[in-house]
Amino acid sequence: MEIILVEDVSGLGDKGAVVNVKPGYARNYLLPRRLAIASTANASNLYRELQRQRDMQEDKRLVIAREVASRLNGVEINIPAAANEEDTLFGSVTESDVAEALTRAGHRVEARQVVLEEHIKQLGKYDVPVRIYASVSATVKVWVVRP
């Protein structure tokens, strides 16, 4: 039975490949899990059209993400935090604190987009990466200062 793979299937093929498999494997495993569709003339054309539309949407998202990253790259924000004489913070600055400060500065960013290896626990200047989309990211300068 000929099928078109909708997802990558290890040991069988990559997404979009037309492969020949036993009918039971297709009927009992691939088709119910929506990993493949039966290869007919209509299905083949429909799959190509859907894939073309997905690619166009992906390109559009990448362009928008690059625009956002260019606006966000190099932005400097101040985050006030209480610290002792050795410049060690009493708490820590987290991803949500950075996202909140960026939102106050006019850049809408969610906390899950901010990438901190570990929470900031000292006063000073930090370069914090912000993941906008898949492989698109920007770097923001964060100043942790006394209030």
Side-chain angles (χ1 to χ4, degrees):
M1 175 175 194
E2 262 192 6
I3 58 167
I4 302 171
L5 295 176
V6 178
E7 299 291 331
D8 292 343
V9 178
S10 62
L12 191 57
D14 293 332
K15 182 178 181 178
V18 178
V19 293
N20 202 5
V21 296
K22 294 189 176 184
Y25 182 52
R27 186 176 55 249
N28 295 326
Y29 182 76
L30 296 173
L31 297 176
R33 288 178 174 78
R34 300 192 194 288
L35 298 173
I37 56 175
S39 178
T40 63
N42 267 351
S44 178
N45 292 336
L46 177 66
Y47 177 77
R48 281 194 209 101
E49 178 61 24
L50 289 174
Q51 189 62 35
R52 187 185 65 77
Q53 289 176 1
R54 281 189 211 116
D55 291 343
M56 286 175 44
Q57 288 174 347
E58 181 71 17
D59 291 343
K60 204 179 291 186
R61 285 186 196 116
L62 276 173
V63 167
I64 292 169
R66 287 186 182 124
E67 289 174 5
V68 170
S70 67
R71 279 186 268 137
L72 199 58
N73 226 353
V75 168
E76 293 189 18
I77 56 171
N78 290 333
I79 298 178
N84 62 16
E85 294 79 29
E86 290 87 32
D87 293 340
T88 302
L89 300 181
F90 291 125
S92 64
V93 176
T94 63
E95 291 89 351
S96 60
D97 296 329
V98 174
E100 186 178 308
L102 282 169
T103 303
R104 281 195 308 266
H107 303 281
R108 211 173 103 193
V109 175
E110 295 179 24
R112 62 182 172 83
Q113 292 176 305
V114 178
V115 181
L116 285 176
E117 290 180 21
E118 56 184 47
H119 294 171
I120 298 172
K121 297 180 182 179
Q122 293 281 332
L123 293 178
K125 176 184 170 191
Y126 297 91
D127 290 332
V128 177
V130 178
R131 187 181 67 246
I132 307 300
Y133 187 73
S135 63
V136 180
S137 62
T139 302
V140 176
K141 295 187 185 334
V142 175
W143 289 87
V144 181
V145 295
R146 293 183 196 275

Short mmCIF file of all heavy atoms in Angstrom, two decimals, residues 50-89:
data_model
loop_
_atom_site.label_atom_id
_atom_site.label_comp_id
_atom_site.label_asym_id
_atom_site.label_seq_id
_atom_site.Cartn_x
_atom_site.Cartn_y
_atom_site.Cartn_z
N LEU A 50 -1.17 21.84 1.14
CA LEU A 50 -1.10 22.13 2.57
C LEU A 50 0.34 22.39 3.00
O LEU A 50 0.60 23.30 3.80
CB LEU A 50 -1.69 20.98 3.38
CG LEU A 50 -3.20 20.82 3.30
CD1 LEU A 50 -3.64 19.55 4.02
CD2 LEU A 50 -3.91 22.03 3.87
N GLN A 51 1.28 21.62 2.48
CA GLN A 51 2.69 21.81 2.81
C GLN A 51 3.18 23.18 2.30
O GLN A 51 3.91 23.88 2.99
CB GLN A 51 3.54 20.68 2.21
CG GLN A 51 4.96 20.69 2.67
CD GLN A 51 5.09 20.50 4.16
OE1 GLN A 51 4.32 19.78 4.79
NE2 GLN A 51 6.05 21.17 4.75
N ARG A 52 2.74 23.59 1.12
CA ARG A 52 3.12 24.88 0.57
C ARG A 52 2.59 26.01 1.45
O ARG A 52 3.30 26.97 1.75
CB ARG A 52 2.59 25.03 -0.86
CG ARG A 52 3.06 26.28 -1.59
CD ARG A 52 2.41 26.44 -2.94
NE ARG A 52 0.97 26.67 -2.84
CZ ARG A 52 0.41 27.84 -2.51
NH1 ARG A 52 1.18 28.87 -2.23
NH2 ARG A 52 -0.90 27.98 -2.46
N GLN A 53 1.34 25.87 1.92
CA GLN A 53 0.75 26.88 2.79
C GLN A 53 1.48 26.95 4.14
O GLN A 53 1.73 28.04 4.67
CB GLN A 53 -0.73 26.60 3.00
CG GLN A 53 -1.57 26.86 1.79
CD GLN A 53 -3.04 26.48 2.00
OE1 GLN A 53 -3.42 26.04 3.08
NE2 GLN A 53 -3.84 26.66 0.95
N ARG A 54 1.83 25.78 4.68
CA ARG A 54 2.57 25.76 5.95
C ARG A 54 3.92 26.43 5.79
O ARG A 54 4.37 27.17 6.67
CB ARG A 54 2.77 24.32 6.43
CG ARG A 54 1.57 23.74 7.10
CD ARG A 54 1.89 22.40 7.76
NE ARG A 54 0.72 21.58 7.74
CZ ARG A 54 0.57 20.44 7.09
NH1 ARG A 54 1.56 19.94 6.39
NH2 ARG A 54 -0.55 19.78 7.14
N ASP A 55 4.60 26.16 4.67
CA ASP A 55 5.90 26.77 4.43
C ASP A 55 5.79 28.29 4.31
O ASP A 55 6.64 29.02 4.82
CB ASP A 55 6.54 26.20 3.16
CG ASP A 55 6.96 24.75 3.33
OD1 ASP A 55 7.06 24.28 4.48
OD2 ASP A 55 7.18 24.08 2.30
N MET A 56 4.74 28.77 3.66
CA MET A 56 4.53 30.21 3.53
C MET A 56 4.27 30.83 4.90
O MET A 56 4.80 31.91 5.22
CB MET A 56 3.36 30.51 2.58
CG MET A 56 3.69 30.29 1.13
SD MET A 56 2.32 30.51 0.00
CE MET A 56 1.53 31.98 0.57
N GLN A 57 3.46 30.18 5.74
CA GLN A 57 3.19 30.69 7.08
C GLN A 57 4.46 30.70 7.93
O GLN A 57 4.71 31.64 8.68
CB GLN A 57 2.12 29.85 7.76
CG GLN A 57 0.74 30.06 7.19
CD GLN A 57 -0.29 29.11 7.80
OE1 GLN A 57 0.07 28.14 8.46
NE2 GLN A 57 -1.56 29.41 7.57
N GLU A 58 5.27 29.66 7.80
CA GLU A 58 6.53 29.57 8.54
C GLU A 58 7.47 30.71 8.12
O GLU A 58 8.10 31.34 8.97
CB GLU A 58 7.20 28.22 8.29
CG GLU A 58 8.50 28.02 9.01
CD GLU A 58 8.33 27.84 10.50
OE1 GLU A 58 7.21 27.55 10.96
OE2 GLU A 58 9.33 28.00 11.21
N ASP A 59 7.55 30.99 6.82
CA ASP A 59 8.38 32.09 6.34
C ASP A 59 7.89 33.42 6.89
O ASP A 59 8.69 34.27 7.29
CB ASP A 59 8.39 32.12 4.81
CG ASP A 59 9.12 30.94 4.20
OD1 ASP A 59 9.89 30.27 4.93
OD2 ASP A 59 8.91 30.67 3.00
N LYS A 60 6.57 33.59 6.94
CA LYS A 60 5.98 34.82 7.45
C LYS A 60 6.32 34.98 8.94
O LYS A 60 6.67 36.08 9.40
CB LYS A 60 4.47 34.79 7.26
CG LYS A 60 3.81 36.15 7.21
CD LYS A 60 2.32 36.06 6.99
CE LYS A 60 2.01 35.55 5.60
NZ LYS A 60 0.56 35.57 5.31
N ARG A 61 6.22 33.89 9.70
CA ARG A 61 6.54 33.94 11.13
C ARG A 61 8.01 34.29 11.35
O ARG A 61 8.35 35.04 12.27
CB ARG A 61 6.23 32.61 11.80
CG ARG A 61 4.77 32.36 12.01
CD ARG A 61 4.54 31.08 12.81
NE ARG A 61 3.18 30.66 12.68
CZ ARG A 61 2.78 29.52 12.11
NH1 ARG A 61 3.67 28.67 11.63
NH2 ARG A 61 1.52 29.22 12.02
N LEU A 62 8.90 33.73 10.51
CA LEU A 62 10.32 34.02 10.63
C LEU A 62 10.61 35.50 10.35
O LEU A 62 11.41 36.12 11.05
CB LEU A 62 11.14 33.15 9.68
CG LEU A 62 11.47 31.76 10.19
CD1 LEU A 62 12.13 30.93 9.10
CD2 LEU A 62 12.37 31.84 11.40
N VAL A 63 9.97 36.07 9.35
CA VAL A 63 10.17 37.48 9.03
C VAL A 63 9.73 38.36 10.20
O VAL A 63 10.45 39.28 10.61
CB VAL A 63 9.41 37.86 7.73
CG1 VAL A 63 9.35 39.36 7.55
CG2 VAL A 63 10.06 37.19 6.54
N ILE A 64 8.56 38.05 10.76
CA ILE A 64 8.06 38.82 11.91
C ILE A 64 8.99 38.67 13.11
O ILE A 64 9.30 39.64 13.80
CB ILE A 64 6.62 38.39 12.26
CG1 ILE A 64 5.67 38.81 11.14
CG2 ILE A 64 6.17 38.96 13.59
CD1 ILE A 64 4.29 38.22 11.25
N ALA A 65 9.46 37.45 13.35
CA ALA A 65 10.36 37.21 14.48
C ALA A 65 11.67 37.96 14.31
O ALA A 65 12.22 38.50 15.28
CB ALA A 65 10.63 35.71 14.62
N ARG A 66 12.19 38.03 13.10
CA ARG A 66 13.44 38.76 12.85
C ARG A 66 13.23 40.27 13.08
O ARG A 66 14.13 40.95 13.57
CB ARG A 66 13.94 38.49 11.45
CG ARG A 66 14.53 37.10 11.32
CD ARG A 66 15.16 36.86 9.97
NE ARG A 66 15.67 35.50 9.90
CZ ARG A 66 15.33 34.63 8.97
NH1 ARG A 66 14.48 34.99 8.00
NH2 ARG A 66 15.82 33.41 8.98
N GLU A 67 12.06 40.79 12.70
CA GLU A 67 11.76 42.20 12.94
C GLU A 67 11.73 42.49 14.45
O GLU A 67 12.30 43.47 14.92
CB GLU A 67 10.44 42.59 12.31
CG GLU A 67 10.46 42.65 10.81
CD GLU A 67 9.08 42.89 10.21
OE1 GLU A 67 8.11 43.10 10.98
OE2 GLU A 67 8.98 42.86 8.98
N VAL A 68 11.05 41.62 15.19
CA VAL A 68 10.97 41.79 16.64
C VAL A 68 12.35 41.70 17.27
O VAL A 68 12.71 42.49 18.14
CB VAL A 68 10.01 40.74 17.25
CG1 VAL A 68 10.08 40.74 18.77
CG2 VAL A 68 8.59 40.99 16.79
N ALA A 69 13.16 40.76 16.80
CA ALA A 69 14.51 40.58 17.34
C ALA A 69 15.37 41.80 17.05
O ALA A 69 16.17 42.22 17.91
CB ALA A 69 15.15 39.32 16.75
N SER A 70 15.23 42.39 15.87
CA SER A 70 16.04 43.57 15.56
C SER A 70 15.65 44.76 16.45
O SER A 70 16.50 45.56 16.83
CB SER A 70 15.91 43.93 14.08
OG SER A 70 14.60 44.38 13.79
N ARG A 71 14.36 44.89 16.77
CA ARG A 71 13.91 45.96 17.67
C ARG A 71 14.37 45.70 19.10
O ARG A 71 14.66 46.63 19.85
CB ARG A 71 12.39 46.09 17.65
CG ARG A 71 11.89 46.90 16.48
CD ARG A 71 10.40 47.14 16.57
NE ARG A 71 9.75 46.03 15.86
CZ ARG A 71 8.71 45.38 16.26
NH1 ARG A 71 8.14 45.69 17.40
NH2 ARG A 71 8.20 44.40 15.55
N LEU A 72 14.45 44.44 19.49
CA LEU A 72 14.77 44.06 20.87
C LEU A 72 16.27 43.99 21.12
O LEU A 72 16.72 44.16 22.25
CB LEU A 72 14.11 42.71 21.18
CG LEU A 72 13.92 42.33 22.63
CD1 LEU A 72 13.09 43.36 23.34
CD2 LEU A 72 13.25 40.98 22.71
N ASN A 73 17.05 43.76 20.08
CA ASN A 73 18.49 43.60 20.22
C ASN A 73 19.13 44.88 20.75
O ASN A 73 18.92 45.95 20.21
CB ASN A 73 19.11 43.24 18.87
CG ASN A 73 20.09 42.11 18.98
OD1 ASN A 73 20.42 41.67 20.07
ND2 ASN A 73 20.55 41.64 17.85
N GLY A 74 19.88 44.76 21.84
CA GLY A 74 20.59 45.90 22.39
C GLY A 74 19.78 46.77 23.33
O GLY A 74 20.29 47.77 23.84
N VAL A 75 18.53 46.44 23.60
CA VAL A 75 17.71 47.21 24.54
C VAL A 75 18.31 47.06 25.93
O VAL A 75 18.75 45.98 26.32
CB VAL A 75 16.24 46.70 24.52
CG1 VAL A 75 15.44 47.28 25.67
CG2 VAL A 75 15.61 47.04 23.19
N GLU A 76 18.37 48.18 26.66
CA GLU A 76 18.88 48.14 28.02
C GLU A 76 17.75 48.43 29.00
O GLU A 76 16.98 49.36 28.80
CB GLU A 76 20.00 49.17 28.21
CG GLU A 76 21.24 48.84 27.41
CD GLU A 76 22.40 49.76 27.76
OE1 GLU A 76 22.37 50.40 28.83
OE2 GLU A 76 23.34 49.81 26.96
N ILE A 77 17.67 47.61 30.05
CA ILE A 77 16.66 47.82 31.08
C ILE A 77 17.32 47.79 32.45
O ILE A 77 18.37 47.16 32.64
CB ILE A 77 15.54 46.75 31.01
CG1 ILE A 77 16.12 45.34 31.12
CG2 ILE A 77 14.71 46.90 29.77
CD1 ILE A 77 15.08 44.26 31.28
N ASN A 78 16.72 48.51 33.38
CA ASN A 78 17.18 48.51 34.77
C ASN A 78 16.19 47.76 35.62
O ASN A 78 14.97 47.96 35.50
CB ASN A 78 17.30 49.94 35.31
CG ASN A 78 18.45 50.70 34.66
OD1 ASN A 78 19.41 50.10 34.21
ND2 ASN A 78 18.32 52.01 34.61
N ILE A 79 16.71 46.90 36.47
CA ILE A 79 15.86 46.18 37.42
C ILE A 79 16.37 46.51 38.82
O ILE A 79 17.49 46.12 39.18
CB ILE A 79 15.90 44.66 37.17
CG1 ILE A 79 15.36 44.36 35.78
CG2 ILE A 79 15.11 43.93 38.24
CD1 ILE A 79 15.38 42.90 35.41
N PRO A 80 15.59 47.25 39.61
CA PRO A 80 16.03 47.56 40.96
C PRO A 80 15.86 46.35 41.88
O PRO A 80 14.86 45.64 41.82
CB PRO A 80 15.10 48.70 41.38
CG PRO A 80 13.91 48.57 40.50
CD PRO A 80 14.36 47.91 39.24
N ALA A 81 16.88 46.13 42.71
CA ALA A 81 16.84 45.00 43.64
C ALA A 81 17.65 45.35 44.88
O ALA A 81 18.70 45.97 44.79
CB ALA A 81 17.39 43.75 42.98
N ALA A 82 17.15 44.94 46.03
CA ALA A 82 17.84 45.20 47.29
C ALA A 82 19.02 44.25 47.43
O ALA A 82 18.94 43.07 47.11
CB ALA A 82 16.87 44.99 48.45
N ALA A 83 20.16 44.82 47.90
CA ALA A 83 21.38 44.02 48.02
C ALA A 83 22.14 44.43 49.27
O ALA A 83 21.96 45.52 49.81
CB ALA A 83 22.25 44.20 46.79
N ASN A 84 23.04 43.56 49.72
CA ASN A 84 23.87 43.87 50.88
C ASN A 84 25.13 44.63 50.44
O ASN A 84 25.27 45.00 49.27
CB ASN A 84 24.20 42.60 51.67
CG ASN A 84 25.00 41.60 50.88
OD1 ASN A 84 25.57 41.92 49.84
ND2 ASN A 84 25.04 40.38 51.36
N GLU A 85 26.09 44.83 51.35
CA GLU A 85 27.30 45.59 51.04
C GLU A 85 28.20 44.89 50.02
O GLU A 85 28.99 45.52 49.32
CB GLU A 85 28.12 45.85 52.31
CG GLU A 85 27.45 46.76 53.32
CD GLU A 85 26.39 46.04 54.14
OE1 GLU A 85 26.50 44.81 54.37
OE2 GLU A 85 25.41 46.70 54.54
N GLU A 86 28.12 43.56 49.92
CA GLU A 86 28.94 42.81 48.96
C GLU A 86 28.24 42.68 47.60
O GLU A 86 28.66 41.89 46.76
CB GLU A 86 29.25 41.40 49.49
CG GLU A 86 30.20 41.37 50.67
CD GLU A 86 29.46 41.54 51.99
OE1 GLU A 86 28.30 41.10 52.11
OE2 GLU A 86 30.05 42.13 52.90
N ASP A 87 27.18 43.44 47.38
CA ASP A 87 26.41 43.46 46.13
C ASP A 87 25.69 42.14 45.84
O ASP A 87 25.33 41.85 44.71
CB ASP A 87 27.30 43.82 44.92
CG ASP A 87 27.79 45.25 44.99
OD1 ASP A 87 27.17 46.05 45.73
OD2 ASP A 87 28.78 45.57 44.31
N THR A 88 25.45 41.36 46.87
CA THR A 88 24.67 40.13 46.71
C THR A 88 23.21 40.47 46.98
O THR A 88 22.88 41.10 47.98
CB THR A 88 25.15 39.06 47.70
OG1 THR A 88 26.54 38.81 47.47
CG2 THR A 88 24.39 37.76 47.51
N LEU A 89 22.35 40.04 46.08
CA LEU A 89 20.93 40.34 46.22
C LEU A 89 20.32 39.55 47.36
O LEU A 89 20.73 38.43 47.65
CB LEU A 89 20.19 40.01 44.92
CG LEU A 89 20.64 40.74 43.66
CD1 LEU A 89 19.78 40.30 42.48
CD2 LEU A 89 20.57 42.23 43.83
#
